[in-house]
Amino acid sequence: MIVYVLYGGQSPEHEVSLKTAATVMHALDTQKHEVYPIYISREGLWTGLGRMPEEGLAAEQLTPASRHADAASSLGEVLAVEFGRTGEKVVLPLLHGANGEDGTVQGLLELLDIPYVGNGILSAAMTLDKDVTHRLAGLAGIRQTAYEVVTRRQWDEDRTGVLRRLENRGLLPGYVKPATLGSSIGISRCENSAELEAGIDEALRYDVKLVVEREVIGREIQVAVMGNDRPKASLPGEFLHGVKFFDFRAKYADPKLRMSVPAEIPAAAAAEIRESAIRAYEALCCCGLARVDFFLGEDGLVYLNEINALPGFTGTSMYPVMWERTDGTSYAALIEKLMDYALERRHTQKSVSSVR
């Protein structure tokens, strides 16, 4: 089977995508598959690297310079040369954030009629937007912390009024988050009005819509979910980090970071978290995979934090480790399973469209 690996992208999470792609390509069975890496630069230029050699690619080979000056011509060459190959195909879109995890690339692949790993257009767009996730999870009856949405227009027109609204809602201490970014980029923890104002200014550098969430005192617990029509949830996991705010550096550069899988939490809480993860997965129309994050509060209650429709697959990522500890699925076998789910979904779609 021809396996295309899309990575890089224009999101601030570009470097995370590179780490994920390097790890995934190293794990792919080149005796079983023809692997074709496709790099998207920070400027949005697409470059096909040709068939990956069996020995893999060195780090410096992952980010080649494009021969094209604009995105359209670079994408046109990739469409004609790379995606024009004959044979069974599947795409691994290892792109985080906007223009990759938000349904845009998924829409392109739907037009090309090529199956791809992960969530479809609708679920990709909804899960990337923290505001939309909150709304749909609330409709599904899933407990969440208090939150408010702030737009750039609201902030520009009435900064004082926005601050008053957030403080009156009791959102301090709390977190200011860009609505459509991950990896803790642009997020600030705020304890007072001055920090809240600075946090909103910082987050608006990355997005035109923000969510401000009341802090939940407790532990952050993660669950890996996998599947299409019959999703299943892994054992819960927890990062042990010892910091108040689990920011980008703590996630990707802290040598003291440790995983606890399964998380050492009461059995009843673990069962509730796994059940709630599947409910959230289904409420957001997810398929293939997602990581669902919760808070286990000091009050003993479980609160949904967010859904990550394309969780990281780096060497320190929780998603593959949780499956290995749950049912023994290795990293390489997990990728094969996810590709199988992509092919299964495309088969189901074809069976429906053929009846129309």
Side-chain angles (χ1 to χ4, degrees):
M1 185 165 61
I2 295 172
V3 179
Y4 298 106
V5 180
L6 303 187
Y7 64 97
Q10 295 176 273
S11 162
E13 298 177 81
H14 184 96
E15 292 297 328
V16 180
S17 176
L18 295 183
K19 292 181 179 180
T20 296
T23 311
V24 168
M25 286 191 286
H26 178 74
L28 282 168
D29 185 351
T30 54
Q31 298 293 321
K32 184 177 181 181
H33 306 300
E34 297 179 14
V35 180
Y36 289 89
I38 298 174
Y39 172 62
I40 305 173
S41 73
R42 295 180 186 276
E43 296 73 36
L45 302 178
W46 294 56
T47 303
L49 281 68
R51 185 173 178 177
M52 187 181 75
E54 291 187 12
E55 64 272 16
L57 295 171
E60 61 272 14
Q61 295 175 293
L62 291 176
T63 56
S66 176
R67 299 187 298 105
H68 299 274
D70 62 273
S73 58
S74 68
L75 176 56
E77 180 176 290
V78 167
L79 293 179
V81 176
E82 302 297 343
F83 289 127
R85 303 179 190 279
T86 58
E88 187 177 30
K89 306 168 185 173
V90 68
V91 176
L92 287 164
L94 307 179
L95 299 160
H96 299 289
N99 295 330
E101 193 179 349
D102 59 356
T104 50
V105 165
Q106 288 77 8
L108 172 64
L109 297 173
E110 292 282 354
L111 290 174
L112 296 174
D113 196 25
I114 300 177
Y116 54 91
V117 167
N119 290 273
I121 301 168
L122 179 64
S123 53
M126 293 192 302
T127 52
L128 187 66
D129 190 314
K130 295 178 177 62
D131 170 30
V132 175
T133 297
H134 277 309
R135 296 187 197 198
L136 293 176
L139 290 174
I142 300 170
R143 186 185 297 109
Q144 306 169 87
T145 188
Y147 77 98
E148 289 283 334
V149 174
V150 177
T151 66
R152 178 177 289 173
R153 179 189 61 78
Q154 293 170 343
W155 187 241
D156 289 342
E157 293 179 355
D158 188 11
R159 179 179 290 231
T160 301
V162 169
L163 290 172
R164 185 183 304 115
R165 169 167 62 93
L166 299 176
E167 292 178 33
N168 289 343
R169 184 74 194 282
L171 300 184
L172 292 176
Y175 290 86
V176 179
K177 302 178 179 181
T180 59
L181 267 183
S183 297
S184 298
I185 295 172
I187 297 180
S188 301
R189 181 181 182 274
C190 309
E191 294 188 353
N192 53 54
S193 181
E195 291 179 352
L196 181 59
E197 183 173 13
I200 292 174
D201 282 333
E202 172 66 13
L204 285 173
R205 294 176 54 215
Y206 299 95
D207 207 338
V208 296
K209 181 170 70 170
L210 319 175
V211 292
V212 182
E213 301 171 353
R214 179 189 297 158
E215 182 177 54
V216 176
I217 305 300
R219 299 159 64 182
E220 186 172 356
I221 309 297
Q222 305 181 359
V223 176
V225 183
M226 176 169 54
N228 292 333
D229 296 333
R230 297 179 179 85
K232 56 183 180 178
S234 73
L235 294 172
E238 180 181 19
F239 275 117
L240 304 178
H241 46 74
V243 295
K244 185 170 288 189
F245 175 27
F246 194 33
D247 60 9
F248 184 89
R249 183 189 176 282
K251 288 181 177 179
Y252 297 105
D254 185 356
K256 298 180 181 178
L257 184 66
R258 294 188 296 113
M259 295 181 190
S260 176
V261 184
E264 296 183 2
I265 58 177
E272 180 181 352
I273 287 172
R274 296 178 79 176
E275 186 270 335
S276 296
I278 292 178
R279 285 174 57 206
Y281 189 87
E282 293 177 333
L284 274 294
C285 306
C286 293
C287 54
L289 78 159
R291 195 193 70 234
V292 189
D293 300 345
F294 295 88
F295 293 115
L296 178 57
E298 288 184 343
D299 55 8
L301 298 178
V302 171
Y303 300 83
L304 176 68
N305 179 17
E306 64 180 15
I307 302 176
N308 190 324
L310 184 64
F313 268 74
T314 69
T316 57
S317 296
M318 182 72 82
Y319 188 92
V321 174
M322 285 190 284
W323 280 118
E324 192 277 330
R325 303 280 177 85
T326 297
D327 59 12
T329 301
S330 68
Y331 189 101
L334 178 59
I335 297 171
E336 294 289 338
K337 282 188 177 183
L338 295 175
M339 291 193 291
D340 286 342
Y341 283 127
L343 297 173
E344 176 188 90
R345 185 174 79 241
R346 177 47 53 93
H347 176 75
T348 301
Q349 290 172 333
K350 288 291 187 183
S351 69
V352 173
S353 61
S354 64
V355 177
R356 292 176 183 171

